Amino acid sequence: TFAPLLRVARRPPRMHPLATEITAGITAGAAKTLAFYPLDTLVTRREVGRPLLVPRETLEGARPAAIRDVYAGSVLATLGMLPYALLFHTAFYLCEAALARFAISAALVKVCAGTCGAVAAAAVGVPFEGLKHRLQLQVRGYTTPRLALASTLRLEGVAGLYRGFGSTLARNVPYNALHFGLYALAASALRPARLPATEALSGAAAGALTALLTTPLDLVNTRLQTQRIFTASGAAANLSGVVDAISRVAAEEGGPTALMRGAGLRAAQYAPSGLLFFCVYEAVKRRAASGGL
């Protein structure tokens, strides 16, 4: 007789925590970007004072606005999101891991990790976002990714791709710090109640509050990144930087409330966007932890 063969059940190999963080971030980022891109376009147009549905200024002349134009730049934005998320979530994970040994609240750890992620990914994110903003406005010479890149390089050189770098960093650091920090804070407050939609409610609250608090910085960043496309032949732009833009907008456009232009649209975009992002983000991390990825 032969001894029965014993089959030892093996757990499926688990993904490394860093790979899990990156996978969750990319998946959630792609879902958020694609699902709410039309609202992002409307916010951009509102912030620079353009009609929400603008005529497309082609080389042959302007043609009527089309609903599909609100997706202008969506492919570019999605492609840019991939390297951005890779760098962001790598730095996010490393910062979070480094702070784990200290007695710091989870929300504060997320604030620090979000800050590190925003700084690490800025160099990759700025060129893609600048081109995306220009495409969303559908101005002549900036109606396709190829034309937008060619016009930017011809009129401004490579430096044009990094226009608004400082303003983007000034917006992204508080945005990501608040987004992840407020989510952690809301989730920790709601979990004791054992609500079935804790992640969804926390994500929506974090998204809406973050959007409202960072609207002035987002408006300034959009203005700085797009002002050259409204000047002939790349002539010198009017706004010189973040402080100048804030003071000029407030002084020339009706007071400090002008800096909140587009706040309602941003909240309408980022509440469901935050909900979707964190639900997908947490779901992917749970799946990876159980060996399902």
Side-chain angles (χ1 to χ4, degrees), residues 170-251:
R171 179 206 60 190
N172 282 2
V173 167
Y175 172 83
N176 285 289
L178 287 169
H179 199 217
F180 285 93
L182 288 173
Y183 172 76
L185 198 62
S188 66
L190 292 174
R191 280 194 187 104
R194 299 182 181 276
L195 296 175
T198 295
E199 291 168 1
L201 291 173
S202 301
L209 284 172
T210 301
L212 289 173
L213 292 171
T214 58
T215 290
L217 292 169
D218 188 67
L219 182 144
V220 164
N221 178 59
T222 302
R223 294 286 186 94
L224 288 168
Q225 287 190 322
T226 61
Q227 63 178 335
R228 288 291 182 102
I229 71 175
F230 296 114
T231 58
S233 303
N238 293 324
L239 303 176
S240 60
V242 175
V243 176
D244 181 51
I246 290 174
S247 60
R248 292 277 297 280
V249 170

Side-chain angles (χ1 to χ4, degrees), residues 1 12 20 38 51 73 91 101 131 195 212 240 256 265-266 269:
T1 61
T20 298
R101 70 189 72 174
L131 290 173
L195 296 175
L212 289 173
S240 60
L265 278 173
R266 269 175 63 78
Q269 173 191 356

Side-chain angles (χ1 to χ4, degrees), residues 10 21 27 38 41 43 85 94 127 129 138-140 150 163 176 202 214 229 231 254 290 293:
R10 294 183 180 179
E21 175 67 35
T27 306
T41 297
V43 169
L94 294 175
E129 184 176 35
Q138 290 292 281
V139 175
R140 182 177 299 180
R163 190 162 303 285
N176 285 289
S202 301
T214 58
I229 71 175
T231 58
S290 66
L293 289 180

Side-chain angles (χ1 to χ4, degrees), residues 5 13 24 34 40 54 57 82 95 138 155 178 190 192 267-268 283 289:
L5 296 176
L34 292 172
D40 187 70
V54 297
E57 299 177 9
L82 297 175
C95 179
Q138 290 292 281
L155 298 176
L178 287 169
L190 292 174

Side-chain angles (χ1 to χ4, degrees), residues 50-131:
R50 297 275 285 176
L52 296 185
L53 289 178
V54 297
R56 188 173 184 177
E57 299 177 9
T58 65
L59 296 177
E60 294 77 27
R63 67 161 176 76
I67 295 296
R68 66 177 178 271
D69 288 341
V70 296
Y71 286 96
S74 58
V75 173
L76 183 72
T78 305
L79 291 175
M81 183 277 304
L82 297 175
Y84 179 88
L86 175 63
L87 290 175
F88 179 95
H89 287 280
T90 297
F92 185 95
Y93 171 82
L94 294 175
C95 179
E96 198 173 30
L99 294 175
R101 70 189 72 174
F102 301 104
I104 303 175
S105 70
L108 184 55
V109 169
K110 298 294 186 183
V111 167
C112 296
T115 299
C116 290
V119 173
V124 169
V126 171
F128 282 99
E129 184 176 35
L131 290 173

